[in-house]
Structures are given as C-alpha cells and as structure tokens.
Amino acid sequence: MAQSGAHTMLGGTVVPLKEVSFSAQMPGRVEFIAGVEGATFEEGVVLVALDEDDLLAKRRAAYAQYMKAQAAFRNSRVQYTREVYSGSHMESENTGMAIPKMFDRYMTRPFSDMVGADNSEVTRRAQIWDSGTRIDQARAQMMQTQAALQELDAKLRDTRTIAPFHGTIVQKHVEVGDTVQPGMPLLQFANIHHLQIKVEVPARLMPGIKKGMSIPARLDVGGTLIETRVAQVFPMADPQRHTVTVKLDLPSNVPGGPGMYAEVMIPDVTSPGDQVPAIPASAIIWRGSLPSVYVVSNGKMELRMIRRGGDTLEGGKVKVLSGLQVGETIVINPPNGLAGSWDAGSGEQKAP
C-alpha cells in the first residue's frame, strides 16, 4: 500500500510535435501547390510556387549591369597601369606633328617648371591618383550591381515555399491561380507522426509536475487510456489566465490525430492523499499502451485494466491509481500464454 495524492483532471488538445504556418513573402500568382490536405512530403520538397517571370526579367537586367561594371573595372585597371608606366596619356598619343610635340616636351614644360608656372611631377602624381580613383569607383559600381543580383536571388527564393522537415499538409489557404500579397497565409505544414498533448496547468498545480515524469491521460477516441511523459514545461505563466503551458509526449500509433480533445490527470500535491495499492512492476502486463494485471478471485482469474502511477517506489513497486483495491490477490509473474484455468498456486500475492 502507498500514499497517493489527489489528482485534477484537465482538458488539453493533441498537437503535432512540429508545425509551421507558411505565408507569402512576395506578391504574385500561385502557380503550383504540391498537394492537398493529408499529402505527405519529405524535407526540401517545394510545397508552393509563385509566378517569377517579372523577377527573372529584372535579374537579367541586373546581370547586364553587372557585366558592364566588370568591363569598366577591368578597363580602369589597364588605364592605371598605362598611367604608371607610360606617363600621361597625352604623351603617348600619335596625333599631331612631331616637332610641336618635341618642342612642348623639351622646351615648354621644362621652362614652366623652371619659372614655377607648373610642376610636372605633381601633375603626374595627380594623374596617377585620378586613375586609382577610377579603379575604386569601378569596383564600387561592380559591388553595387552584385548586391542587386543577390537581392533579386533572395526574392526569387521567397517565391518558393520549401518543406523544412518530413511532414503533412494539414490546411491549405490558397489554390492555383490565386493572387497573393506579402503576409497572406499559404498553408499549414506539420509532423503528425509525433504527437503531443498541450495543456494549460494552473500555477498551483505546477509543484507536482516535473520534466520526464509519467502522467495518465484519456483520449477522446473511445475513451482510450494512455501513459504520457512530460516533454516540455514553459518557463513563464500566462499573466492573464495564470496557467503554465505543459506539453506531454504521446506513445506512437495512438488513435486519433492533431486537434482532438484529451484529458490529463495532473497530480495535486497540495491536497491530502489517499491509500492506494502498490504492486511489483513484474505483475503488470502491457496490451499495447494499456497496463493490466491478473486478479485472482474465488479461484478464478480475471485480466483487469489498471491505471498506474507515474513514479516507481522503493523495491521496484508501482502505485495503482484505479482498477485494483487494497487486499485483492494478483499474479506477480504471469507466464506467457497464461489461460483463465491456470492454477495460480504460489504465484498469488495480495496487493500490500
């Protein structure tokens, strides 16, 4: 026999482990939808595609500007090299008569330097600096056009909605041919193969809940009883309702699906407890996710479904919250293929 505290039954909702809601990031017309509600897709599959003809035309224009900027950058580097190794481009031109150019080079310029009217060295340095500046300007123009290309590529990616994980379409909000604007919902996508129960627990009951503990629950599908495990406890209570969100992992292959109602039995450590049976864990027979025990009464055996407590007591015993009364006789180690006519013999034990 063991002490069992009171429990509070709370209503919750079955939710997928992962769920995302996709909305339009770009204006456009819906050209493709991968499937209808219930269709399952692998990670990386395109779920929704918008028309992208306008963006592709803008990208081609931006790429042409990028090629033009690249050509200007290469030309500016060639001109800079010419300026450094050949002097002023005016000196290397072949136009004009040879004698005037020779007079200008060997008479006019040296005379200007001598009287202080000009400084050929300063002029040459200024011309080289100007050529270097043209390289920087051409490089900046090329980077600007490259950034425009990257921006258009990002917008093109936004016209595709891609599955972030293996999951199922649970709701569509658009059809092929619809025109959407940024922010409009497209569809909801979820992993419905791994389910949880989401329940709002009053703050006064939170001392009895710890991550990893087992909590019994009842699904709204034939009143199915299951054992759940606390997967997540939100760190903050809702300031209006004063409740804490708790998520409980469901066993695999449970009946029903997301959105259905479920009841969760939350332990209330603030209430006085009752005396409940405690039995060895070896006496429990699992039928799927339902625990049962063989009860011996008047020489006959009965397979009875029970609801066990979540914690294991000292000596490997577990509490039985319902389905068994203190003092009833059970079979501790039922053999495989146990039949109703089997003589329990020494295998009988009263629940302590």
Side-chain angles (χ1 to χ4, degrees):
M1 189 168 57
Q3 190 77 10
S4 176
H7 292 76
T8 300
M9 191 70 75
L10 298 177
T13 304
V14 177
V15 298
L17 176 65
K18 295 180 181 179
E19 183 178 12
V20 292
S21 297
F22 294 110
S23 58
Q25 303 300 310
M26 294 292 299
R29 185 181 68 257
V30 178
E31 282 195 336
F32 170 78
I33 299 179
V36 297
E37 289 85 349
T40 301
F41 301 95
E42 297 293 333
E43 178 181 353
V45 174
V46 176
L47 300 176
V48 180
L50 303 182
D51 172 46
E52 57 184 18
D53 291 343
D54 181 59
L55 289 176
L56 289 175
K58 290 181 179 179
R59 192 189 187 284
R60 288 192 292 270
Y63 186 74
Q65 292 295 324
Y66 175 71
M67 297 298 293
K68 181 179 179 180
Q70 270 193 328
F73 175 70
R74 290 193 297 265
N75 180 64
S76 63
R77 294 184 62 178
V78 171
Q79 296 303 322
Y80 176 82
T81 303
R82 177 186 181 185
E83 190 70 40
V84 170
Y85 292 101
S86 299
S88 173
H89 65 279
M90 292 297 294
E91 296 181 2
S92 60
E93 288 180 351
N94 295 323
T95 59
M97 297 179 64
I99 293 178
K101 288 182 63 177
M102 184 181 299
F103 184 82
D104 180 67
R105 175 177 296 180
Y106 294 107
M107 296 296 294
T108 305
R109 293 185 182 181
F111 184 76
S112 297
D113 291 341
M114 183 180 64
V115 298
D118 195 7
N119 190 321
S120 59
E121 184 64 26
V122 173
T123 301
R124 173 170 168 73
R125 290 178 180 272
Q127 290 172 342
I128 294 176
W129 183 271
D130 180 67
S131 296
T133 301
R134 293 178 185 275
I135 292 179
D136 293 337
Q137 291 174 344
R139 181 186 292 111
Q141 183 65 29
M142 187 173 63
M143 293 175 62
Q144 184 178 0
T145 55
Q146 190 175 24
L149 275 175
Q150 293 171 347
E151 181 183 3
L152 287 170
D153 287 339
K155 290 182 178 180
L156 284 169
R157 287 193 299 270
D158 287 340
T159 63
R160 296 287 187 268
T161 298
I162 299 175
F165 49 80
H166 174 82
T168 303
I169 296 177
V170 295
Q171 188 175 4
K172 287 196 313 177
H173 300 285
V174 294
E175 296 291 344
V176 173
D178 286 343
T179 300
V180 297
Q181 296 297 327
M184 290 181 60
L186 298 176
L187 56 81
Q188 289 179 264
F189 190 73
N191 182 352
I192 61 175
H193 299 289
H194 298 84
L195 301 177
Q196 294 180 323
I197 296 178
K198 182 179 180 181
V199 59
E200 298 295 332
V201 180
R204 66 179 181 84
L205 299 178
M206 289 307 300
I209 298 180
K210 293 180 176 58
K211 185 176 180 179
M213 70 180 293
S214 296
I215 294 180
R218 187 194 310 273
L219 299 180
D220 193 22
V221 179
T224 305
L225 294 174
I226 56 173
E227 287 288 331
T228 66
R229 187 170 299 276
V230 178
Q232 183 181 7
V233 179
F234 280 41
M236 180 177 175
D238 185 277
Q240 280 76 37
R241 295 181 295 177
H242 309 293
T243 58
V244 178
T245 301
V246 177
K247 290 186 175 181
L248 313 168
D249 283 336
L250 290 177
S252 58
N253 301 322
V254 295
M260 69 182 182
Y261 177 75
E263 291 181 341
V264 181
M265 186 174 289
I266 303 296
D268 187 356
V269 297
T270 63
S271 299
D274 301 323
Q275 301 296 328
V276 297
I279 64 174
S282 61
I284 299 177
I285 301 172
W286 291 93
R287 296 290 186 265
S289 61
L290 303 178
S292 306
V293 295
Y294 277 105
V295 180
V296 180
S297 177
N298 298 325
K300 297 181 179 180
M301 289 181 303
E302 172 191 358
L303 184 62
R304 188 182 300 174
M305 190 180 302
I306 63 172
R307 186 168 71 244
R308 53 164 289 179
D311 301 327
T312 302
L313 306 177
E314 185 178 355
K317 295 183 177 181
V318 294
K319 293 186 292 185
V320 179
L321 304 179
S322 66
L324 190 64
Q325 300 296 325
V326 175
E328 288 188 295
T329 303
I330 63 171
V331 180
I332 346 179
N333 295 299
N336 294 331
L338 179 61
S341 60
W342 182 74
D343 185 4
S346 62
E348 300 177 3
Q349 176 179 321
K350 288 187 177 182

